């Protein structure tokens, strides 16, 4: 009599990293020869649990070293209280639970919420990672999504037609410490939209269809530098994480050599303890050089590989790319090509980052940034400020947007000369930068116009730094005008509306005599005059 497993086949679909262009993981998909076993599994938690185990074992038989994604219905987890069979299968195969992500699939309707959360907690306790699957086209309540606090959220590609929703989900993922992935990507335009909206991972027919053998190479369209939301303190290391080649600390040098020679793309091996904490780092080139030396194989093959390894370099999963470079810089020049292990809050390895990926991405961001700098002040233009305004609006943060310029600047240039005018503009730019601290952003949008984005409490130091200074150009006294609009959370929908609110305030400030400052608030009629007095004649510049 044929077993139910005899009618099953499994396919592998790559999950790609949109930053590095590499395969980050493989999702294992059930492909029954007959019938609809997934419909049965949705009704039968025990069957669904056995399918998860069978999917994992099918991947092990293909000898893939990549992290794996296994699908399980939310109702299954709530009913079974976890996946004890999967945990046993992972241990038997010599793999680490944190190399396996459990994709929790809809439907969520009628699934006991508390039982599901308790099951997810149990899975995390065993070391598994959690993904919320089918978001955007399923029935996952937003509150449940935040309570699950998944390490990964998978959106349906249909949501790309609503980029604002995808960007909002990216903001939520950042708050949860999760990565954002898009499923079902079929075209290059969808890939570009996913990148632009801030997705770090993706999967779909464009990169590689489900196949019986794990994909070795995938097609990932090149992206444009600087696309996607700009991080506040440098790119997150999460964007650059590659799968790690892990072996237990007891592995012999012969086992490491077999892994490296059988996997030419692996740049190094991390030896981890029973909890998955990196203990030693084995660099590919240095290790193979030692093994290929005269008597090397005879000396080392049966000895612990740890003797040929180094102390691993590690960074936390919340680190930035700049922090990784700091870690690399601490060691000697001989280890600059070593992978850096990325660890979670428990010290367990979640992957590695390569220095080449970081340098390329940071160089591209610097080129993109330099292209937008004003050549006179070396300050960014309006795009950098308005992008940050939109991010703060999406984050629900209060902010103050200010517009600063020189009174009668044309007369300054005509009377003192353009060189004196340029010196004045540079001096104002330096003063603004010296005042800027924390989350303050300064932009030079051309001529004598500056934009300053700051938190509301930073307004008084800003005004003091530029309005209480006796400015001059070519010996001629000069005054400045400052206009500010305060935007509480939800006060404006985007940067365009913020700019529209700021324009009449600028006109009001220019209508005052001497150094002036006008302050307004979105949704409130009128404005407050903080500096300056009424003119007796209309301004001429």
């Amino acid at each position: 009599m044929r077993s139910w497993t005899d009618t099953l086949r499994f396919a592998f679909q790559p999950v790609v990293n949109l930053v590095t262009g590499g395969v980050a993981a493989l999702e294992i998909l059930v492909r029954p020869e007959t019938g609809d076993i997934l419909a049965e599994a949705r009704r039968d938690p025990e069957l669904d649990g056995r399918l998860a185990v069978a999917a994992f074992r099918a991947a092990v038989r293909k000898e893939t070293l990549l992290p794996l994604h296994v699908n399980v219905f939310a109702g299954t987890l709530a009913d079974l209280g976890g996946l004890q069979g999967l945990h046993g299968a992972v241990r038997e195969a010599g793999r680490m639970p944190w190399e396996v992500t459990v994709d929790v699939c809809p439907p969520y309707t009628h699934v006991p919420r508390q039982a599901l959360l308790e099951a997810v907690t149990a899975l995390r306790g065993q070391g598994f990672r959690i993904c919320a699957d089918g978001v955007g086209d399923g029935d996952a309540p937003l509150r449940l999504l935040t309570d699950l606090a998944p390490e990964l959220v998978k959106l349906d590609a249909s949501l790309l037609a609503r980029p604002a929703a995808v960007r909002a989900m990216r903001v939520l993922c950042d708050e949860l410490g999760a990565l954002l992935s898009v499923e079902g990507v079929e075209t290059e335009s969808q890939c570009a939209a996913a990148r632009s909206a801030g997705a770090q991972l993706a999967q779909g027919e464009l990169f590689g269809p489900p196949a019986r053998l794990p994909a070795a190479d995938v097609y990932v369209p090149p992206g444009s530098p600087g696309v996607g939301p700009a991080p506040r303190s440098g790119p997150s290391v999460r964007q650059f994480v590659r799968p790690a080649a892990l072996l237990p600390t007891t592995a012999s040098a012969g086992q490491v050599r077999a892994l490296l020679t059988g996997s030419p793309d692996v740049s190094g091996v991390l030896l981890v303890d029973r909890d998955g904490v990196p203990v030693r780092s084995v660099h590919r080139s240095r290790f193979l050089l030692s093994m290929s030396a005269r008597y090397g194989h005879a000396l080392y093959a049966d000895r612990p590989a740890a003797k040929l390894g180094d102390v691993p370099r590690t960074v936390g999963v919340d680190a930035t790319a700049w922090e990784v470079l700091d870690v690399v810089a601490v060691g000697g020049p001989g280890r600059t090509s070593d992978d850096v292990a990325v660890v979670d809050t428990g010290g367990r390895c979640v992957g590695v980052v390569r220095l080449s990926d970081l340098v390329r991405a940071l160089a591209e961001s610097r080129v993109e940034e330099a292209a937008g700098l004003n050549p006179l002040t070396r300050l960014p233009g309006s795009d950098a400020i308005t992008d940050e305004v939109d991010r703060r609006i999406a984050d629900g943060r209060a902010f103050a947007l200010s517009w600063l310029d020189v009174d009668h600047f044309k007369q300054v240039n005509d009377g003192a000369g353009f060189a004196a005018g340029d010196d004045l503009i540079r001096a104002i730019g330096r003063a603004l930068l010296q005042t800027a601290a924390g989350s303050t952003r300064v932009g030079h949008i051309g001529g004598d116009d500056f934009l300053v984005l700051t938190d509301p409490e930073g307004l008084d130091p800003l005004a003091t730094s530029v309005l209480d200074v006796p400015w001059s150009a070519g010996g001629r006294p000069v005054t400045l005008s400052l206009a500010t609009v305060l935007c509480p959370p939800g006060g404006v929908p985007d940067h365009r509306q913020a700019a529209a609110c700021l324009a009449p305030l600028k006109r009001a400030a220019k209508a005052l005599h001497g150094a002036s400052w006008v302050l307004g608030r979105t949704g409130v009629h009128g404005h407050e005059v903080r500096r300056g007095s009424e003119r007796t004649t209309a301004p001429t510049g």
Side-chain angles (χ1 to χ4, degrees):
M1 181 177 177
R2 297 184 74 192
S3 166
W4 61 273
T5 57
D6 294 336
T7 64
L8 285 184
R9 296 293 180 268
F10 295 93
F12 303 88
Q13 185 168 49
V15 179
V16 303
N17 187 315
L18 293 176
V19 177
T20 66
V23 179
L26 293 171
E27 181 173 350
I28 317 165
L29 303 170
V30 178
R31 290 291 185 264
E33 291 183 351
T34 59
D36 189 354
I37 198 168
L38 290 178
E40 296 178 42
R42 180 175 165 181
R43 297 188 295 268
D44 185 346
E46 293 287 347
L47 173 60
D48 194 31
R50 293 198 298 272
L51 279 178
V53 173
F56 171 78
R57 286 177 172 157
V60 171
R61 288 195 294 272
K62 302 299 182 183
E63 299 181 348
T64 176
L65 294 173
L66 287 166
L68 303 170
H69 285 242
V70 177
N71 293 299
V72 181
F73 288 112
T76 295
L77 294 180
D79 190 81
L80 299 182
L83 294 170
Q84 197 59 42
L86 180 61
H87 185 256
V90 171
R91 287 298 188 186
E92 288 171 13
R95 297 293 296 266
M96 305 293 181
W98 36 93
E99 296 178 82
V100 179
T101 297
V102 176
D103 286 11
V104 184
C105 303
Y108 293 91
T109 304
H110 306 309
V111 173
R113 176 177 166 277
Q114 190 58 38
L116 175 60
L117 294 177
E118 289 174 0
V120 166
T121 299
L123 286 171
R124 280 209 177 92
Q126 293 170 338
F128 292 107
R129 305 194 180 282
I130 303 299
C131 165
D133 201 355
V135 175
D137 196 40
D139 60 344
L142 192 57
R143 179 186 171 190
L144 177 60
L145 185 62
T146 57
D147 288 344
L148 286 174
E151 284 77 22
L152 176 66
V153 172
K154 288 187 178 181
L155 294 183
D156 188 84
S158 63
L159 214 59
L160 293 174
R162 299 168 177 83
V166 183
R167 288 194 296 269
M169 188 57 66
R170 169 63 193 270
V171 171
L172 176 60
C173 285
D174 287 345
E175 292 293 327
L176 295 175
L179 291 177
L180 180 63
S181 181
V182 177
E183 295 183 291
V185 175
E186 298 180 351
T187 66
E188 292 198 14
S189 62
Q190 286 183 317
C191 179
R195 273 196 178 103
S196 179
Q200 296 112 331
L201 304 173
Q203 62 189 105
E205 295 283 336
L206 175 66
F207 314 108
R212 294 185 65 179
L213 293 176
D217 297 300
V218 296
Y219 170 70
V220 181
S224 301
V227 170
R232 296 190 181 95
S233 55
S236 169
V237 74
R238 295 171 183 269
Q239 301 179 35
F240 305 96
V241 173
R242 290 177 177 265
L246 305 178
L247 285 175
T249 53
T250 55
S252 68
Q255 289 174 297
V256 172
R257 183 176 184 274
L259 189 157
L260 291 175
T261 54
S263 306
D265 292 335
V266 173
S267 54
V269 177
L270 288 173
L271 305 179
V272 297
D273 64 16
R274 287 181 58 85
D275 295 322
V277 177
V279 176
R280 303 294 282 178
S281 172
V282 179
H283 183 268
R284 180 186 188 91
S285 298
R286 294 198 298 273
F287 175 83
L288 292 179
L289 186 62
S290 298
M291 291 291 287
S292 61
R294 191 177 185 184
Y295 308 124
H297 189 273
L299 284 172
Y300 299 116
D302 296 325
R303 298 183 66 186
K307 293 184 177 297
L308 293 175
D310 300 290
V311 175
R313 292 171 165 178
T314 61
V315 295
V317 72
D318 294 322
T320 67
W322 296 110
E323 291 173 292
V324 178
L325 293 185
D326 289 340
V327 170
V328 172
V330 169
R335 295 194 62 190
T336 53
S337 62
D338 287 21
D339 292 341
V340 176
V342 181
V343 298
D344 63 14
T345 54
R348 300 178 301 195
C349 180
V350 301
V352 296
V353 290
R354 294 181 180 175
L355 182 62
S356 57
D357 289 337
L358 298 184
V359 170
R360 181 169 55 251
L362 292 175
E364 289 174 346
S365 68
R366 281 290 185 253
V367 170
E368 186 76 7
E369 178 184 330
L373 296 181
N374 186 286
L376 181 62
T377 58
R378 307 303 295 166
L379 290 172
S382 60
D383 286 349
I385 305 300
T386 55
D387 286 349
E388 179 64 18
V389 167
D390 284 338
R391 278 191 289 275
R392 297 194 188 193
I393 291 171
D395 290 349
R397 299 169 60 192
F399 63 90
L401 184 62
S402 298
W403 191 334
L404 176 76
D405 74 347
V406 179
D407 294 329
H408 315 303
F409 186 61
K410 184 178 185 303
Q411 295 178 18
V412 172
N413 272 344
D414 290 346
F418 70 86
D422 287 351
D423 289 342
L424 173 64
I425 296 303
R426 280 191 286 263
I428 294 171
R430 288 193 296 270
L432 289 171
L433 279 179
Q434 289 170 1
T435 306
S439 59
T440 299
R441 300 290 183 268
V442 179
H444 181 193
I445 60 178
D448 63 323
D449 292 312
F450 293 86
L451 276 179
V452 184
L453 174 65
T454 188
D455 294 331
E457 55 268 23
L459 283 175
D460 286 327
L462 167 67
T464 299
S465 69
V466 291
L467 298 183
D468 293 350
V469 174
W471 297 103
S472 64
R476 298 166 178 262
V478 172
T479 59
L480 308 183
S481 294
L482 179 67
T484 300
V485 59
L486 283 173
C487 301
V492 287
D494 55 34
H495 72 268
R496 293 178 179 83
Q497 187 60 40
C501 293
L502 190 56
L505 298 175
K506 181 190 177 185
R507 291 194 295 271
K510 298 297 286 184
L512 299 174
H513 179 69
S516 61
W517 181 19
V518 166
L519 177 69
R521 293 171 173 81
T522 59
V524 178
H525 182 69
H527 59 264
E528 174 187 353
V529 176
R530 293 273 182 105
R531 304 279 178 89
S533 57
E534 294 293 338
R535 291 179 182 273
T536 56
T537 58
T540 59

